[in-house]
Amino acid sequence: QVQLVESGGGLVQAGGSLRLSCAASGLTFSTYPMGWFRQAPGKEREFVAAISWSSRVTYYADSVKGRFTISRDNNKNTVYLQMNSLKPEDTAVYYCAAARACSGYGCYDRNQYDYWGQGTQVTVSS
C-alpha cells in the first residue's frame, strides 16, 4: 500500500520560510518522479514543482520560481519543498504526489500522478 505523508506546514508571516517534507512508503521511491501541488479555497489544484527520480531535472511553476526549491533524498524516501519569501497568495493546502513516469511538461499535469498525500496546510499572513 502506497503512502505519502506530508509534514511541515503551518502559519508564517509574509517573507518567512517553511520546509515541507513528504515521506513515502510502499513504492520504489527512487524510481518515481515526485511533485508538489497546492490548492487554495475555491480554486483548482495547481502545479508547484516536480523533480525527476535522479534529481537531475526540476520543474517549477512561474509563480514560485526563484523562491521555492524542490529536492529529494532517495535514501530516506523523502521529497522536500523549501519555501522562501512566502507571500499571502501562497496560502493553500500543499500535496505531494508520485508519478510512475513523467517528463517535461507532462510533469506539470496532475493527471500524470498516480499517488497523492493527504496534504498539509500552509497559511501566510500579511
Side-chain angles (χ1 to χ4, degrees), residues 39-121:
Q39 188 166 18
K43 294 189 176 182
E44 289 192 355
R45 192 170 298 188
E46 65 175 4
F47 171 79
V48 175
I51 187 167
S52 64
W53 63 269
S54 66
S55 301
R56 288 180 187 153
V57 184
T58 56
Y59 309 91
Y60 294 95
D62 288 343
S63 58
V64 307
K65 207 170 289 184
R67 299 188 298 123
F68 291 10
T69 302
I70 189 170
S71 62
R72 66 190 295 160
D73 185 336
N74 286 345
N75 292 321
K76 296 183 177 179
N77 286 4
T78 301
V79 61
Y80 305 96
L81 186 68
Q82 177 67 43
M83 304 186 297
N84 298 329
S85 303
L86 282 161
K87 305 175 181 180
E89 52 263 44
D90 294 318
T91 295
V93 177
Y94 282 70
Y95 299 89
C96 74
R100 288 192 180 94
C102 73
S103 62
Y105 286 109
C107 294
Y108 290 71
D109 181 0
R110 63 179 185 263
N111 294 313
Q112 296 296 315
Y113 291 80
D114 301 284
Y115 304 107
W116 293 83
Q118 83 289 349
T120 185
Q121 176 70 47

